[in-house]
Amino acid sequence: MGFIRTSRMWIIPAVLLVISACAPVSLKPEDSAAIRKIALVTSLRDVNPCALDHTHIGERTYGGFMFGAVGGFVEGVVIVLEQTAATRASLGGSIDDLKKELGTLPAKELIDRKLVERLSKAYRVIGPQELPQELSDARWNATDESRQALITACKERGADTAVRVDFAYGLAAYSGEKASTAIDAVVEVYNVNKGELILKKVISSDEYFQTAHTVSEVARNKAALFKEEFEEAADGLSMLIASEMGIGREQVEKRRNETLRAAQVTCNKPYKLDQDCNSIVGARRSVEVNGFHMKIAGSGDGKVVLLMGSCHSHKDVKLDLSRNPTEDDPSYVPAEMSSCFDAAKNEFAASNINILKISKLVNNGYINGYILHLDGDGYSILKQHTLDEF
C-alpha cells in the first residue's frame, strides 16, 4: 500500500489503483450532508522532491502472459525499459539536481495550510497539528489498528469526519511531454461515528494545474520556478480535495473543461496523439458507436481521445439540433455532436472508464470536436467499433 520507490522514482502501483477502484470513489449525498467537523491528517512520504511516474506505461500489456512465466517476465522488462526511457526524456535531467538546488521546502506545512483554508470554507476543521503526531507518520499503514487509532483520536476531539491525505511531491514525468511540478496524494475519508471508509481516491494536482518544464528549467536560481509552481500545485490539490467534499465543485469542473482553438491543435500538441491521427485531417479512424458515426484518434496509452465533428447517424436515429451553442457556452455539449459524445461516454461507462476532463475544440465560434481525458484506455474500447471502410 502507499507509494513505492523504484529506480529513484515514486510510482502509484497498480494494486493501489485497483483497491481504490473497489473502495468508494465519491461521497454519497447522505455522507456529505452529515459532515460538520473534519479532522485533517496529512503525511509526507519524502521531504525531498521525487520523480512521479505519470507515463502510464506500467499499465500497458502486450500479451506476454499468454506465453507463460517467461513471456510475462520479458514483457515486464520491456515495460520497465520503456517507462525509464520515457521518464528520463520527460525530466530532461536528474531529479537529484533539483534536490541540490531546492534545499529545504516546507511542503507539508504549505499543504496543511492550503487544505485547512479550503475545508474551513464549509466545515469546522481540526488541523494536523492538533492531532497525535503518529497519525501523520509517513510509515502509517491502513491496518485495522491504525484506522481505529485515527477514529478514536477524532472522536475524542468531536470530529464526525476524518480526512487523511498521504502525499509525495516533485516532477511528474509524462510520455512524450515535458515534466510538470506536481503533487500526488492518496485521499481517504472516514465516517467517524460509523467507523467506515466512505471515500478512497488517488488525486494528482496536475488534474488542475500542469506546466511543461525540464529539471534544469525548474532548478535554476535555487529552484525559484519550482517553488513558485509548487505553490500553485498545492493550491490546485487543495481545491481538488475540497471539491470531493462539496466545496468549489463548480470551479473545479469549469477548469477541467477547457476550450482550445482547433487551428492550434495538432497530433503533437497540446497532447500527443500517436494513434490514428493525421496532421492535416486530424482524427482518421471511423467508428460507429450505438448507431452514430464519428472520427477518432488517441494517445499511445488510450487515455486521451480526440473525437471530431461530422457526427452523423443512420437515418432511423435522429439528432437533437434544437440548440446551437458557441464557445461562449463552453459548459454545454453542442447539439450537433451531443449524441456522438453521449454514445462515446456511455461506452466508456460500460467499461468503468471515467472522463476526467473535456477539452472542447472551437472553430469560427463553434465547437466541432473534443479531446477527452480518461482514467483508463478508452481508445481501445472505441476501436472495437471501427467501420469496415476505415
Side-chain angles (χ1 to χ4, degrees):
M1 295 297 295
F3 295 93
I4 296 178
R5 196 169 189 175
T6 308
S7 303
R8 293 186 178 180
M9 190 164 50
W10 283 101
I11 65 172
I12 301 177
V15 65
L16 178 60
L17 296 178
V18 170
I19 292 172
S20 296
C22 296
V25 293
S26 61
L27 291 181
K28 297 178 181 178
E30 58 268 28
D31 290 327
S32 298
I35 299 175
R36 296 291 182 274
K37 189 174 184 180
I38 291 175
L40 175 66
V41 178
T42 62
S43 59
L44 175 59
R45 284 280 157 170
D46 193 329
V47 295
N48 295 309
C50 310
L52 304 165
D53 178 29
H54 286 206
T55 64
H56 301 294
I57 292 175
E59 301 165 24
R60 293 181 184 175
T61 178
Y62 298 108
F65 64 90
M66 297 173 61
F67 302 95
V70 174
F73 173 76
V74 172
E75 176 178 302
V77 171
V78 170
I79 289 174
V80 169
L81 291 175
E82 287 184 359
Q83 185 181 48
T84 302
T87 299
R88 286 175 177 169
S90 182
L91 294 176
S94 171
I95 197 71
D96 290 335
D97 294 337
L98 175 59
K99 293 178 184 178
K100 293 175 186 176
E101 291 295 319
L102 181 61
T104 302
L105 181 71
K108 186 177 185 304
E109 291 78 0
L110 180 60
I111 293 292
D112 290 352
R113 177 170 59 81
K114 295 280 188 181
L115 283 171
V116 170
E117 287 176 356
R118 292 286 178 189
L119 296 174
S120 295
K121 293 181 180 294
Y123 311 110
R124 289 178 292 164
V125 179
I126 301 171
Q129 69 282 358
E130 302 176 59
L131 292 159
Q133 180 61 37
E134 57 267 24
L135 296 179
S136 293
D137 194 325
R139 294 167 296 178
W140 189 91
N141 293 312
T143 62
D144 290 341
E145 183 179 355
S146 298
R147 284 172 173 161
Q148 187 54 53
L150 174 62
I151 296 299
T152 299
C154 293
K155 281 185 177 179
E156 290 174 350
R157 290 159 179 78
D160 52 63
T161 304
V163 176
R164 194 171 197 288
V165 180
D166 188 22
F167 72 97
Y169 75 98
L171 287 179
Y174 306 97
S175 179
E177 299 178 50
K178 281 188 177 182
S180 173
T181 301
I183 307 166
D184 287 352
V186 179
V187 180
E188 294 181 328
V189 180
Y190 294 87
N191 181 314
V192 171
N193 296 325
K194 294 181 180 179
E196 294 179 351
L197 177 67
I198 57 176
L199 172 69
K200 184 167 185 176
K201 195 167 190 177
V202 176
I203 297 178
S204 300
S205 63
D206 63 357
E207 295 175 32
Y208 191 87
F209 168 79
Q210 183 176 339
T211 60
H213 297 296
T214 62
V215 168
S216 60
E217 290 171 339
V218 297
R220 290 176 191 148
N221 301 320
K222 297 298 180 183
L225 180 58
F226 181 83
K227 292 173 184 176
E228 177 184 328
E229 291 184 348
F230 180 80
E231 284 258 4
E232 295 191 63
D235 198 46
L237 181 72
S238 67
M239 292 187 71
L240 290 166
I241 293 175
S243 71
E244 295 291 335
M245 311 298 292
I247 305 171
R249 192 168 290 164
E250 291 183 1
Q251 183 177 355
V252 168
E253 289 304 315
K254 184 177 181 180
R255 179 65 172 260
R256 280 174 170 162
N257 289 266
E258 65 179 347
T259 298
L260 302 171
R261 300 282 179 181
Q264 298 176 338
V265 176
T266 71
C267 296
N268 294 307
K269 65 177 185 179
Y271 310 104
K272 192 170 179 60
L273 302 173
D274 298 311
Q275 301 189 63
D276 306 316
C277 187
N278 180 279
S279 58
I280 298 176
V281 300
R284 292 181 56 248
R285 183 176 291 270
S286 297
V287 298
E288 180 184 331
V289 182
N290 195 26
F292 292 95
H293 295 188
M294 60 193 87
K295 294 275 191 177
I296 63 171
S299 60
D301 60 10
K303 291 189 174 183
V304 180
V305 175
L306 169 62
L307 173 64
M308 288 191 66
S310 302
C311 174
H312 60 281
S313 66
H314 293 309
K315 60 183 179 181
D316 58 335
V317 182
K318 296 184 181 299
L319 290 171
D320 176 13
L321 300 177
S322 60
R323 293 182 64 180
N324 195 21
T326 69
E327 60 183 313
D328 295 326
D329 185 15
S331 64
Y332 179 73
V333 178
E336 64 271 22
M337 287 193 64
S338 61
S339 295
C340 283
F341 178 91
D342 288 341
K345 181 176 69 174
N346 291 339
E347 199 70 14
F348 296 146
S351 297
N352 295 316
I353 294 175
N354 301 302
I355 297 176
L356 301 176
K357 178 180 176 181
I358 304 170
S359 303
K360 297 178 177 63
L361 306 185
V362 177
N363 184 34
N364 294 324
Y366 291 91
I367 303 171
N368 66 346
Y370 305 92
I371 297 178
L372 307 179
H373 307 255
L374 315 170
D375 62 2
D377 183 1
Y379 196 68
S380 293
I381 302 299
L382 295 185
K383 280 173 64 175
Q384 297 174 14
H385 302 281
T386 299
L387 295 170
D388 292 338
E389 62 264 28
F390 171 71

